[in-house]
């Protein structure tokens, strides 16, 4: 009767669901649906192109067979339209010169991007090429393609082609696992009006850390809310030229050792110097000015601050005071300061099917033609020195100084040397800092070594787990 | 279809009473009972299927992962109990995370329960425009959790944040909330309390379910407001309280988003130990260090722990959860 | 709204009701202020222009006030499409949850079968396993079925019931007296008819709760749509908002403007339905 009908209908639906959902065979989509440009008031928004995939094995591929490779990137938080546009432009420029390959571009939020990539790779559905900022030893995880054979075969020498940072940033154990997307360096900018108001001489090339400190003290005028430097936070030991220019390097160059580097008397001296800028000299802007708007120096109330080419555009557009640019100060008189440089890197998926095609795209993206497109777009600053010269950036006050910094011998940034840095070492700075400034725990000789020891033990433990 | 003449205003029936009634008043025979069982199964069939597929499968896999070394992108390698041994003996962060998370839970559960019940009582008023108030109080629960955490980081900003500015008006120098080990957790508590609307709404629905003749009877006995609250409101609310406490218990140990946002302030700063909640630790181990096997072991320890506590609460329920039907 | 007998017995004097109303408004107002402060900051930030001059100490009222951020959100990212996608997902999830949770809660609350208590505990256990850990196995499973980059991984689970909502529905169902079931059985109804004609009409508040909670959860879900979708045209509102956060820069004014707009649909839904929510199950049966 009615009940029986209902019951049998329900059972039928359930069986149908079981059959449908227990389908575990690999289902290959017939058509890859990717993005196409749709213009909304002149701004490219989304992009769709329907492309048929090629044969399963690369060896079956003929030179005229069209395949699609995937390229994943991230949004930058601002200028989202320009960011999308540069990706599409690069992809289309490549397709014009390589008609046998289509590039499907997808841009994700930068939050959880690594999660997205790794999850995709875990299931065999990762991107063919993407960019990120892992430390070089991520290569030990085994999902990156070794690019060295490709580079050798096509006679490309990254050391010659790119700024020093673009070369070493992707190298692990002598092999190349990544190539640079861009290159930037940190330069100091000083607010001429603040210096004039205090009657202090501008920083001169060849200035030292002591000069820096003296000038900061001289220009600080707390009552009028004028400060010598930006807020002091644990970033000063990491994403700041002082991470190299205080006479020490806090980690070994290969990122495996922290003991013997971060706990030496020189290192502790260096820490005291920075922390005293806040605790004793009181030249730093109070915490929080930057939080709401991103760039505290735009307020015009800070005397000296740092700018990289990543912030360059925003700075140029919004600055309303007279400024000068100078290389970071050095530790010793007469020495050149060590530059703080960085690059985002392109990685190739080891599980890619059409590796040759992906390599062609990688070559394109890290080559001069793409670099010119990138330079024209003002979204990133490419890693190839010649393009900087051709674009006339060498004569620009800020970019010219950045260029000079980029030419110097490079070091990988200390927090980008070890994939376990954030787990083991990163938090130590916060502990030291909060203790020193907020709680008056200034006997660093006693406080720091145990913390560093613990960090080293943590690093050793994690690195040991990498061994099979 | 509501039967006339029956007093159906008693809200809650205990399970055993239901079963007894079925057996006594309907005199079902055994084949009927079997059909009842089958029909019952059919009604929960979609869930069984879904559970097997979407939860059991991945859950069992994750349990298995706890005994392996797995970096997400490679193949897992069996290492037996090594993860668990390391967690309990060598790992300094594990015990710290347990302590921090327990501290938070001990503060959160009572505070959330009390505050949301009080808020629900306030929202139970019959004043005009109460709907607007209810929506306003529920609104924080709708706010995207990342945005909410960011907003609170600004409000609790030591120099310009609203809270410290207000405190300075009454002469208190507010601490550096999220960077001060003594107060960091309270910042997280504040973010959580801001979102008490969802919990209050559930209690509100429960309050509305309490029939007024009980209050009238209490008035006749001469009870005042507080006595009415403890002798009428709370007992009648206890089944909902039971539900909500269990749900909150399960959730509080998994607190993640606000802690994640706060500890990563200023770019990509490492975690402050006082904010190193358990789920943040799981995240760092799994997704940053690519030690997913270890992270899986950690999360199963958490799961078992929550399960034990939940069973405790279940077992204790006859002592404090009041089902109206017991009177009968 | 039903008029319950007022707490203050006797003739409601103007002054007494006025006093207690005032008390209520006062308490509600104070709580509202506390809860509303973060929203004030969100709104103030959304009304700020990105190159507003920054001075110490920062101003509480933005000067100048600008509304340009709200339309800009739609220009910077395909926000309208994201909203449409989110609505699509929400629609199917709500239907799925209502359908499945009523059936399943009915089974758990009204039937006896072996292992019922154990199964219920297992149901609760699924809430105890963190999301981030089951994510990769789930992903691999859906990838094997070729369902990545489709909405199915985000919709199918709704048709099998969310454990939390099943728990909720079961608790509410257990407040509905069995006598109603029995009366219907005597009238010749089968189990399914009882569910549809007797139980569900009395469950309206619970159904509203399911709808609102599902809406909010799906609307704000970030990680699952991010992981299961490749095609940016399929992204949801929560992913779209995350576009305003880069690694080195956050477009605060856009993020806040977008978040405020994103909060409107669930808020409107709640405002509309909150009365039905407060109906109370016993209301329809109260006598005197």
């Amino acid at each position: 009767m009615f009940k029986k009908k209902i019951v049998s209908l329900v059972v039928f639906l359930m069986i149908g669901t079981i059959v449908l959902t227990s389908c575990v065979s690999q289902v290959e989509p017939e058509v890859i649906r990717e993005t196409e440009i749709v213009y909304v008031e002149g701004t490219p928004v989304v992009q769709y192109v329907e492309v048929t995939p090629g044969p399963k094995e690369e060896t079956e591929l003929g030179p005229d067979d069209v395949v699609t490779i995937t390229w994943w990137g991230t949004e930058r938080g601002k200028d989202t339209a320009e960011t999308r546009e540069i990706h599409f432009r690069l992809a289309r420029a490549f397709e014009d010169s390589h008609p046998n390959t289509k590039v499907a571009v997808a841009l994700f939020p930068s939050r959880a991007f690594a999660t997205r990539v790794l999850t995709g790779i875990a299931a065999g559905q990762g991107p063919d090429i993407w960019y990120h900022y892992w430390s070089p030893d991520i290569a030990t995880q085994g999902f990156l393609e070794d690019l060295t054979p490709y580079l050798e075969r096509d006679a490309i020498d990254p050391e010659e082609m790119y700024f020093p940072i673009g070369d070493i940033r992707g190298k692990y154990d002598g092999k190349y696992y990544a190539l640079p997307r861009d290159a930037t360096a940190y330069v100091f900018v000083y607010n001429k009006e603040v210096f004039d108001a205090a009657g202090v001489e501008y920083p001169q090339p060849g200035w030292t850390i002591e000069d820096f400190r003296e000038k900061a003290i001289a220009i600080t005028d707390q009552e009028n809310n004028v400060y010598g430097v930006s807020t002091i936070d644990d970033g000063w030991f990491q994403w700041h030229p002082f991470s190299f220019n205080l006479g020490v390097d806090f980690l070994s160059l290969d990122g495996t050792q922290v003991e013997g580097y971060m706990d030496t008397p020189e290192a502790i001296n260096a820490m005291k110097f920075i922390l005293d800028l806040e605790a004793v000299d009181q030249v730093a802007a109070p915490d929080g000015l930057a939080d709401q708007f991103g760039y505290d120096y735009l307020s015009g109330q800070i005397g000296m601050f740092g700018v990289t080419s990543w912030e360059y555009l925003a700075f140029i557009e919004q600055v309303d005071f007279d400024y000068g640019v100078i290389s970071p100060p050095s530790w010793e008189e007469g020495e050149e300061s060590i530059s703080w440089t960085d690059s985002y890197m392109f990685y190739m998926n080891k599980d890619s099917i059409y590796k040759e095609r992906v390599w062609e795209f990688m070559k394109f993206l890290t080559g001069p033609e793409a670099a010119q497109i990138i330079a024209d777009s003002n979204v990133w600053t490419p890693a190839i020195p010649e393009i900087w010269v051709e674009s006339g950036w060498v004569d620009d006050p800020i970019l010219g100084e950045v260029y000079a910094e980029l030419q110097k011998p490079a070091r990988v940034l200390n927090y980008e040397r070890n994939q376990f840095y954030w787990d083991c070492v990163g938090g130590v700075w916060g502990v030291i800092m909060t203790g020193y400034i907020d709680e008056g725990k200034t006997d660093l000789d006693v406080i720091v070594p145990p913390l560093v020891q613990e960090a080293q033990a943590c690093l050793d433990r994690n690195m040991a787990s990498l061994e099979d | 279809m509501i039967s006339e003449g029956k007093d159906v205003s008693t809200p809650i029936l205990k399970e055993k009473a239901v079963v007894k009634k079925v057996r006594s008043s309907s005199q079902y025979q055994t084949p009927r009972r079997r059909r009842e069982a089958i029909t019952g199964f059919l009604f929960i069939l979609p869930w069984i299927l879904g559970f097997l597929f979407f939860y059991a499968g991945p859950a069992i896999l994750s349990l298995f992962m706890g005994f392996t070394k797995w970096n997400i992108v490679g193949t897992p390698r069996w290492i037996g109990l090594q993860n668990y041994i390391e967690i309990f003996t060598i790992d300094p962060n594990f015990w710290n995370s347990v302590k921090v998370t327990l501290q938070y839970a001990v503060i959160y559960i009572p505070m959330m329960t009390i505050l949301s019940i009080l808020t629900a009582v306030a929202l139970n008023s019959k004043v005009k425009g109460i709907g607007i108030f209810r929506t306003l109080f529920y609104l924080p629960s709708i706010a995207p959790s990342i945005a909410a955490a960011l907003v609170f980081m600004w409000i609790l900003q030591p120099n310009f944040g609203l809270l410290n500015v207000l405190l300075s008006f009454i002469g208190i120098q507010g601490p550096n909330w999220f960077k001060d080990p003594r107060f960091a957790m309270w910042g997280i508590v504040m973010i959580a309390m801001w979102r008490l609307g969802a919990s209050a709404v559930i209690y509100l629905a429960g309050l509305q379910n309490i029939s007024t003749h009980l209050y009238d009877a209490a008035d006749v006995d001469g009870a005042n407001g507080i006595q009415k609250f403890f002798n009428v409101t709370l007992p009648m609310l206890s089944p909902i309280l039971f539900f909500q406490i269990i749900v909150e218990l399960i959730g509080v140990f998994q607190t993640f988003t606000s802690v994640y946002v706060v500890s990563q302030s200023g770019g990509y700063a490492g975690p402050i130990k006082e904010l190193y909640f358990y789920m943040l630790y799981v995240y760092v181990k799994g997704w940053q260090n690519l030690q997913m096997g270890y992270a899986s072991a950690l999360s199963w320890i958490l799961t078992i722990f929550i399960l034990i506590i939940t069973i405790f609460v279940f077992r204790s329920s006859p002592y404090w959860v009041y089902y109206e039907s017991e009177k009968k | 709204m039903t008029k319950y007998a007022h707490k203050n017995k006797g003739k409601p004097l103007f002054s007494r009701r006025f006093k207690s109303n005032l008390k209520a408004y006062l308490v509600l107002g104070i709580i509202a202020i506390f809860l509303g402060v973060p929203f004030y900051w969100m709104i103030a930030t959304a009304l700020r222009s990105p190159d507003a001059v920054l001075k110490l100490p920062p101003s509480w009222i933005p000067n100048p006030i600008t509304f340009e951020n709200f339309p800009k959100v739609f220009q910077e990212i395909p926000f309208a499409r994201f909203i449409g996608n989110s609505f699509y997902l929400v629609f199917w999830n709500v239907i799925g949850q209502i359908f499945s949770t009523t059936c399943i809660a009915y089974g758990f609350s009204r039937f006896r079968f072996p292992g019922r208590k154990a199964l219920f505990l297992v149901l609760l256990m699924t809430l105890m396993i963190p999301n981030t850990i089951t994510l990769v196995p789930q992903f691999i499973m859906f990838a094997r079925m070729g369902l990545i980059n489709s909405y199915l991984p985000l919709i199918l689970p709704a048709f099998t019931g969310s454990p939390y909502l099943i728990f909720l529905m079961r608790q509410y169902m257990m407040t509905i007296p069995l006598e109603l079931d029995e009366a219907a059985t005597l009238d010749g109804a089968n189990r399914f008819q009882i569910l549809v004609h007797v139980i569900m009409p009395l469950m309206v508040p619970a159904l509203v709760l399911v709808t609102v909670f599902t809406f909010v959860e799906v609307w704000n879900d970030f990680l699952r749509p991010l992981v299961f979708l490749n095609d940016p045209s399929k992204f949801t509102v929560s992913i779209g908002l995350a576009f305003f956060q880069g690694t080195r820069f956050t477009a605060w004014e856009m993020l806040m403007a977008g978040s405020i707009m994103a909060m409107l649909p669930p808020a409107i839904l709640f405002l509309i339905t909150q009365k039905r929510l407060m109906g109370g199950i016993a209301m329809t049966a109260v006598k005197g």
Side-chain angles (χ1 to χ4, degrees), chain A residues 2-3 6 21 23-27 33-35 41 43 45-48 72 75-81 84 105-113 115-116 119-120 122-123 125 133 225 227 286 289 291-296 299 301 308 310-311 318 340 344, chain C residues 41 45 48-59 74-78 81 99 135-136 139-140 143-146 148-149 156 190-193 222-223 226-235 238-239 241-252:
Chain A
F2 179 61
K3 177 184 177 178
I6 293 292
T21 56
C23 207
V24 268
S25 61
Q26 200 131 1
V27 175
R33 192 111 198 288
E34 48 165 294
T35 41
E41 293 182 35
T43 317
V45 172
V46 189
Q47 194 186 31
Y48 297 93
W72 288 4
E75 290 283 1
R76 294 184 304 147
K78 58 171 175 157
D79 305 323
T80 43
R84 268 196 303 283
V105 180
L107 289 183
F108 294 87
S110 57
R111 188 192 344 149
F113 180 61
T115 304
R116 181 69 188 92
T119 314
Q125 297 217 352
Y133 45 91
N225 287 323
Y227 301 94
L289 194 54
D291 282 345
Q292 209 182 15
F293 294 92
Y295 302 130
D296 50 1
S299 66
Q301 293 167 267
T308 69
W310 286 328
E311 287 97 36
Q318 295 174 36
W340 185 103
Y344 265 62
Chain C
W41 188 77
T45 309
R48 229 182 272 261
S49 110
D51 39 56
V53 173
L54 177 59
K55 287 278 179 257
L56 271 176
S59 56
F74 285 91
Q75 289 163 8
E76 289 279 322
I77 59 176
R81 165 171 261 122
F99 166 71
L135 192 65
V136 180
F139 185 86
I140 295 179
R144 288 260 167 86
M145 289 161 40
I148 299 300
N149 202 27
L156 281 180
N190 62 37
R191 294 299 194 139
F192 193 73
Q193 285 171 326
F222 170 72
L223 197 57
L226 178 78
V227 162
F228 289 116
L229 298 172
N230 286 343
D231 190 350
S233 68
K234 295 198 173 119
F235 283 170
S238 49
I239 302 179
L241 288 179
F243 280 151
F244 292 123
Q245 275 183 290
T247 38
R248 299 178 63 84
F249 182 87
T250 304
W252 290 103

Side-chain angles (χ1 to χ4, degrees), chain C residues 31-88:
Chain C
I31 304 180
I33 290 177
F34 272 122
L35 295 183
V37 162
F39 287 119
Y40 169 76
W41 188 77
M42 285 178 76
I43 297 175
T45 309
L47 293 177
R48 229 182 272 261
S49 110
D51 39 56
V53 173
L54 177 59
K55 287 278 179 257
L56 271 176
S59 56
W60 283 108
I61 303 176
N63 176 25
I65 294 188
T66 170
F67 288 96
E68 68 184 18
N69 293 324
F70 292 95
K72 235 172 106 185
V73 169
F74 285 91
Q75 289 163 8
E76 289 279 322
I77 59 176
F79 203 58
R81 165 171 261 122
F82 290 162
I83 292 178
N85 292 340
S86 285
F87 267 114
Y88 180 80

Side-chain angles (χ1 to χ4, degrees), chain A residues 101-285:
Chain A
T101 312
K102 295 269 174 230
V103 177
V105 180
L107 289 183
F108 294 87
S110 57
R111 188 192 344 149
F113 180 61
T115 304
R116 181 69 188 92
V117 169
L118 292 169
T119 314
I121 295 178
Q125 297 217 352
D128 290 309
I129 179 174
W130 72 97
Y131 55 79
H132 199 62
Y133 45 91
W134 279 309
S135 51
D137 64 352
I138 197 73
T140 52
Q141 299 292 351
F143 60 95
L144 297 175
E145 176 78 357
D146 181 5
L147 303 171
T148 325
Y150 299 90
L151 288 164
E152 282 170 12
R153 193 195 58 194
D154 290 355
I156 300 177
D157 186 3
E159 214 176 315
E160 276 181 20
M161 181 129 166
Y162 308 113
F163 288 116
I165 185 68
D167 171 52
I168 64 171
R169 186 84 176 73
K171 233 156 110 174
Y172 180 75
D173 201 22
K175 308 200 192 103
Y176 287 97
Y177 288 93
L179 290 177
R181 177 196 82 171
D182 58 359
T184 190
Y186 197 112
V187 295
F188 267 84
V189 176
Y190 53 93
N191 186 334
K192 283 190 181 165
E193 292 167 14
V194 167
F195 273 78
D196 292 340
V200 177
E201 199 198 341
Y202 301 149
Q204 300 298 323
W207 61 321
T208 66
I209 297 280
E210 253 321 298
D211 296 332
F212 169 84
R213 183 167 160 268
E214 281 165 21
K215 291 195 194 295
I217 296 177
I219 60 181
T220 301
D221 181 3
Q222 292 244 349
E223 276 116 32
N224 291 325
N225 287 323
V226 175
Y227 301 94
V229 299
S230 297
T231 312
I232 306 266
D233 57 20
D234 53 0
W236 283 60
F237 301 107
Q238 296 166 107
W239 39 91
H240 194 285
F242 287 2
S243 58
F244 300 143
N245 283 309
L246 295 170
V248 286
D249 202 335
F250 294 106
L251 269 83
S252 62
L253 273 181
D254 63 1
T256 57
Q257 287 297 117
V258 122
E259 212 168 5
Y261 289 82
M262 201 160 141
D263 52 358
T264 60
E266 292 84 23
I268 294 182
N269 237 13
M271 291 181 208
K272 281 208 169 126
F273 178 84
I274 298 293
L275 295 172
D276 280 342
L277 284 176
E278 165 77 20
V280 172
D281 305 322
Q282 302 198 321
V283 296

